[in-house]
Amino acid sequence: MLTSFSILLLFGILTGVTTVLFGFGGGFITVPVVYGFLSVTAPSGVDAMHTAVATSTAVMLVNAVVAAAVQWRQGRLDRHYVWPLAGYILLGAAAGSCAATWIGGTALRVLFAGYLLVTIADSLLRKGFLSVRRETPPEPLGRGASTFGGLGIGAVAACLGVGGSVMTVPLLRRRGLPMANATAMANPLSVPVAVAGTLVYALVPGIPAQAGHLGYVDLTACAALLTGSLPTIALARRVSGRVPDRVYSAAYVGLLVLVLVVMTVTGT
């Protein structure tokens, strides 16, 4: 038990780093880690993928709120980008998390991997993500991008337990924002996803009662991951503004590739 907690704590530290640097809120680390961990250690009858997604949303809720407060104090949040999206993301997240409870664990894992693959390809093949033109000011979000983009981000993010940063960061990046600002704003935009997802996964009916669980949420795994992530968020905030923009965007895509590989390996 102590060894299991220690392993998750170490991954919690990594989660804290990615929350600040990439706006992930922990989802892209937490889902593969908890899924792989439960696939090996959980007793029969435990739905590893749904538990991983649910635990991810709970961890993300805490991490995203703390990281958003840090980014706000550093002046990296722009309400003109955050507020138009937040309400629509919340609506989409409520629908997406409800839909996820009806999707089988294997199908959910395949959707997660497919989501990553499409995002990686889009970031590499379409202009506007790896670099932005600095001579032009950032563009505002249009009504269509705010409405339909927010609903889509919320639905997909809550369904897969990833917070939506892999959709919000490219969206804001292609509006001309530097990576440091785009990833910073992914944190407050992950909060409505995490709130809706955590409530649905924790209160979903028909789940057999298990010690240390609230619905699908694994409370022990949450505690271990947060023990590692929260102190790390306070330290990592000192680094995020010092990374060159091109290196920042390339590292973002590289991490997505790594997560895709991990999900593929643990699922075979």
Side-chain angles (χ1 to χ4, degrees):
M1 181 66 178
L2 182 59
T3 301
S4 301
F5 191 93
S6 300
I7 292 172
L8 290 173
L9 186 148
L10 291 174
F11 278 105
I13 293 173
L14 180 58
T15 296
V17 173
T18 60
T19 296
V20 174
L21 294 184
F22 303 110
F24 286 170
F28 277 103
I29 302 299
T30 305
V31 171
V33 166
V34 176
Y35 173 75
F37 188 76
L38 292 176
S39 297
V40 176
T41 63
S44 60
V46 173
D47 188 330
M49 190 61 194
H50 279 95
T51 301
V53 171
T55 303
S56 171
T57 61
V59 171
M60 186 196 319
L61 175 58
V62 180
N63 281 346
V65 169
V66 173
V70 169
Q71 303 287 12
W72 176 264
R73 288 195 295 269
Q74 292 181 326
R76 292 205 180 103
L77 303 185
D78 187 337
R79 64 182 181 85
H80 295 97
Y81 292 98
V82 173
W83 300 129
L85 282 171
Y88 294 110
I89 287 176
L90 178 61
L91 294 175
S97 52
C98 288
T101 63
W102 293 91
I103 301 174
T106 300
L108 200 58
R109 181 175 58 81
V110 171
L111 288 172
F112 187 95
Y115 174 69
L116 278 172
L117 188 60
V118 169
T119 302
I120 292 166
D122 180 71
S123 299
L124 292 175
L125 300 178
R126 196 155 63 103
K127 293 182 179 180
F129 182 83
L130 290 177
S131 62
V132 296
R133 293 181 299 175
R134 295 186 177 276
E135 62 270 16
T136 57
E139 301 174 4
L141 289 171
R143 183 179 295 273
S146 299
T147 304
F148 298 108
L151 290 171
I153 289 168
V156 173
C159 183
L160 302 180
V162 295
S165 62
V166 176
M167 298 175 77
T168 56
V169 171
L171 175 64
L172 297 174
R173 182 73 168 158
R174 290 197 168 92
R175 290 299 186 276
L177 272 73
M179 273 297 291
N181 296 77
T183 54
M185 282 184 276
N187 283 307
L189 291 172
S190 293
V191 173
V193 174
V195 169
T198 301
L199 288 174
V200 170
Y201 293 127
L203 303 177
V204 62
I207 303 301
Q210 301 178 62
H213 284 69
L214 182 61
Y216 277 123
V217 179
D218 186 327
L219 299 177
T220 303
C222 278
L225 290 162
L226 290 172
T227 299
S229 66
L230 293 178
T232 308
I233 288 173
L235 296 174
R237 66 183 177 83
R238 304 170 185 266
V239 180
S240 59
R242 303 177 184 178
V243 182
D245 192 75
R246 180 82 182 195
V247 175
Y248 211 153
S249 57
Y252 185 94
V253 176
L255 184 58
L256 296 185
V257 172
L258 178 60
V259 173
L260 177 60
V261 171
V262 170
M263 283 299 295
T264 303
V265 171
T266 55
T268 56

